Amino acid sequence: MLKIDNLTVKYGQLTAVRDVSFEVEKGEIACIVGPNGAGKSTTLLSISGVLNPSEGDIILNRGKISGLSPEQVANYGVTQVPEGRHIFTSLTVEENLIVGAALRSDKKAISEDIAKVVDLFPILGERSQQQAGKLSGGEQQMLAIGRAIMTNPSIMTIDEPSLGLAPLIIDKVYEALIKLRKESGLTLLIVEQSAERALKAADKIYVLRNGEIKLRGLSSNLKGDDISKAYFGFDER
């Protein structure tokens, strides 16, 4: 479904991502793990069209999307939940969800998707008329994911969904993401610092460090030690 082919991204003279290649199949949960500064967010921003690659291709369903604007990429069914959530704090929970569906005209399906979001995150139903800025950090993360669902994506990328959240809330978020994939077949590409969390949730894992893929494989075939060595550079002498 999504193929990243020899992706290189630069900020001026600084190369943030170098010759990165990986694939995410339809209906998979894939995780990119790695330390701060590894190039994880840069990779997602390139997929969503915010950054233009210096080299390489980004292909979705056999169509090239690298070089397109964020709006054009979104029209291909790619939606991103950015690090830091970026919800509309002055709007209510319900209004945030409706904003997510702003480009849609299928009113019945929009209502069904709001019900789907509330089923995944019941607290959002309870807080539907509350100003989003008054939600807790965990609730805001749930709302950011819910708003992304409302775009009716074919693939959702999520940047650091566990950042700054308590372990119990992180569990709830990941349980909802796994349920979403199971029930709707949505493809998920998640950036995550926690290798342990990625091993539990993902079908496939890519370890990114210093802008390069250091390890790849099915989570069922990878061990925590393998990931730690690639993550921290213990595999290099």
Side-chain angles (χ1 to χ4, degrees):
M1 179 181 190
L2 177 69
K3 182 178 181 180
I4 311 300
D5 190 20
N6 299 318
L7 183 72
T8 296
V9 185
K10 296 182 178 181
Y11 295 99
Q13 298 300 311
L14 175 65
T15 300
V17 172
R18 181 182 297 104
D19 198 27
V20 164
S21 297
F22 64 88
E23 295 185 26
V24 185
E25 301 297 336
K26 182 176 175 59
E28 277 189 335
I29 297 179
C31 276
I32 303 174
V33 300
N36 284 332
K40 305 186 301 297
S41 295
T42 296
T43 300
L44 291 196
L45 290 172
S46 299
I47 293 170
S48 63
V50 175
L51 296 176
N52 286 322
S54 303
E55 299 176 20
D57 293 320
I58 302 170
I59 300 167
L60 182 69
N61 295 327
R62 299 184 181 180
K64 182 178 175 180
I65 62 171
S66 44
L68 299 181
S69 69
E71 293 78 13
Q72 290 172 315
V73 172
N75 287 334
Y76 274 82
V78 180
T79 191
Q80 181 172 353
V81 180
E83 180 182 343
R85 295 129 203 175
H86 299 290
I87 59 171
F88 297 102
T89 56
S90 63
L91 301 182
T92 67
V93 168
E94 182 179 51
E95 288 168 341
N96 268 272
L97 295 178
I98 291 172
V99 166
L103 299 180
R104 298 172 58 183
S105 58
D106 48 342
K107 292 184 179 180
K108 181 180 178 181
I110 290 171
S111 297
E112 291 172 351
D113 282 346
I114 289 177
K116 180 194 298 184
V117 171
V118 172
D119 179 63
L120 284 172
F121 303 116
I123 192 65
L124 297 183
E126 298 174 20
R127 303 272 198 270
S128 64
Q129 300 308 309
Q130 183 171 321
Q131 198 172 35
K134 296 181 180 178
L135 299 177
S136 69
E139 291 164 354
Q140 289 186 10
Q141 183 64 275
M142 294 173 190
L143 179 57
I145 294 169
R147 186 181 62 191
I149 292 170
M150 294 304 301
T151 68
N152 191 29
S154 58
I155 180 169
M156 182 189 298
T157 69
I158 310 175
D159 197 353
E160 301 280 12
S162 62
L163 186 66
L165 302 183
L168 182 61
I169 301 301
I170 298 172
D171 287 342
K172 289 182 178 180
V173 168
Y174 269 95
E175 286 169 6
L177 292 174
I178 292 169
K179 181 179 180 181
L180 179 64
R181 188 277 295 268
K182 181 179 179 181
E183 294 184 351
S184 67
L186 181 63
T187 306
L188 297 168
L189 175 60
I190 303 172
V191 156
E192 180 59 76
Q193 283 196 42
S194 170
E196 180 181 0
R197 183 69 60 179
L199 271 173
K200 291 179 180 179
D203 302 301
K204 189 183 291 180
I205 292 176
Y206 299 97
V207 179
L208 191 64
R209 179 168 50 80
N210 295 333
E212 300 177 349
I213 298 286
K214 299 296 184 179
L215 181 70
R216 67 183 68 224
L218 299 175
S219 58
S220 57
N221 295 336
L222 295 176
K223 298 179 181 179
D225 286 348
D226 298 327
I227 296 176
S228 293
K229 288 177 182 179
Y231 190 111
F232 293 109
F234 299 153
D235 56 327
E236 298 177 356
R237 296 181 183 276

